């Protein structure tokens, strides 16, 4: 990477989907030997779980897959628009909440995680597993894993193209 890339994953509570995405993406970046070129974080559009560790079901599936989840939940703030280059929302509700407080010109850096899915190109939302089963958490983990691989590939490719 020519420049450090700052990526922020956003969901509603910041205890299920976005911390899983953060942990998975961090592991992929580490495996690619690119850790020193990325800043990776996550947050929620609400602060109702601020200060909490990820949900125990997210931690369980992460541990099974050797993904570290040590994030402490926090709420999205306007400052995140300036602190991050890429803001990735888990679903359209999160996207709407982010769009609501964006200043003109800040929306270009906001994307949906499902834009990086090659399995479900028509789907816009990463399912919210909070009120669902442990099996759903596993499904969501697999989806985030696949989206994260494509996201990293896309960032590596874009960087390569912009340096030609
Ligand atoms: P997340 O899941 O947005 O993926 O962290 C949720 C966590 C908490 C709640 C809803 C969704 N809640 O209603 O408390």
């Amino acid at each position: 990477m020519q420049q450090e890339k700052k990526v922020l994953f956003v969901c509603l509570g910041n205890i299920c989907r976005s911390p899983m995405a953060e942990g998975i993406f961090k592991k992929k970046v580490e495996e690619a030997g690119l850790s020193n070129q990325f800043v990776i974080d996550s947050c929620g559009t609400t602060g109702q779980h601020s200060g909490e560790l990820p949900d125990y079901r997210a931690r369980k599936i992460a541990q099974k897959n050797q993904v570290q989840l040590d994030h402490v939940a926090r709420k999205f703030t306007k400052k995140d628009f300036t602190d991050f280059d890429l803001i990735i929302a888990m679903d359209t509700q999160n996207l709407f909440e982010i769009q609501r407080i964006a200043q003109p010109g800040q929306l270009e850096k906001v994307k949906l995680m499902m834009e990086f899915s090659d399995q479900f190109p028509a789907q816009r939302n990463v399912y919210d597993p909070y009120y669902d089963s442990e099996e759903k958490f596993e499904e969501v983990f697999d989806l985030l894993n696949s989206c994260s691989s494509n996201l990293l590939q896309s960032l590596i490719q874009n960087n390569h193209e912009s340096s030609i």
Side-chain angles (χ1 to χ4, degrees):
M1 297 274 157
Q2 285 171 304
Q3 248 194 328
E4 200 176 53
K5 196 88 186 162
K6 296 173 185 160
V7 183
L8 180 68
F9 296 99
V10 187
C11 62
L12 180 73
N14 193 211
I15 53 168
C16 302
R17 293 164 293 173
S18 63
M20 284 199 281
E22 176 193 338
I24 292 167
F25 189 66
K26 270 186 182 159
K27 185 178 178 189
K28 291 189 186 297
V29 164
E30 206 174 295
E31 286 169 350
L34 296 171
S35 293
N36 60 343
Q37 296 171 56
F38 276 90
V39 171
I40 304 159
D41 194 11
S42 67
C43 64
T45 56
T46 70
Q48 67 190 110
H49 293 279
S50 286
E52 293 178 22
L53 283 174
D55 184 281
Y56 71 97
R57 295 160 295 179
R59 280 189 275 150
K60 190 170 166 187
I61 175 81
Q63 193 175 25
K64 203 163 117 187
N65 289 276
Q66 291 87 47
V67 166
Q68 201 176 336
L69 284 204
D70 51 12
H71 180 76
V72 177
R74 71 167 180 92
K75 188 175 191 270
F76 182 84
T77 69
K78 284 182 180 172
K79 191 169 171 281
D80 288 315
F81 282 117
T82 47
D83 287 350
F84 290 90
D85 306 309
L86 186 56
I87 297 170
I88 303 182
M90 294 296 130
D91 64 31
T92 50
Q93 189 195 344
N94 314 145
L95 182 72
F96 175 76
E97 292 300 330
I98 296 167
Q99 283 170 337
R100 217 166 46 84
I101 58 167
Q103 298 291 313
Q106 289 180 326
L107 283 176
E108 282 129 53
K109 54 174 80 172
V110 187
K111 306 233 178 283
L112 277 171
M113 187 62 156
M114 290 308 289
E115 289 178 41
F116 301 96
S117 170
D118 46 12
Q119 296 165 289
F120 307 102
Q123 194 176 310
R124 302 194 76 206
N125 296 335
V126 174
Y127 181 77
D128 180 353
Y130 185 64
Y131 291 107
D132 213 314
S133 60
E134 227 166 272
E135 288 70 37
K136 270 288 173 197
F137 272 77
E138 301 216 357
E139 264 177 48
V140 167
F141 186 95
D142 291 344
L143 179 60
L144 293 172
N145 197 37
S146 138
C147 291
S148 294
S149 292
N150 295 335
L151 167 63
L152 182 57
Q153 280 318 306
S154 144
L155 291 174
I156 291 172
Q157 194 167 337
N158 286 351
N159 179 69
H160 177 67
E161 281 163 10
S162 67
S163 65
I164 297 172

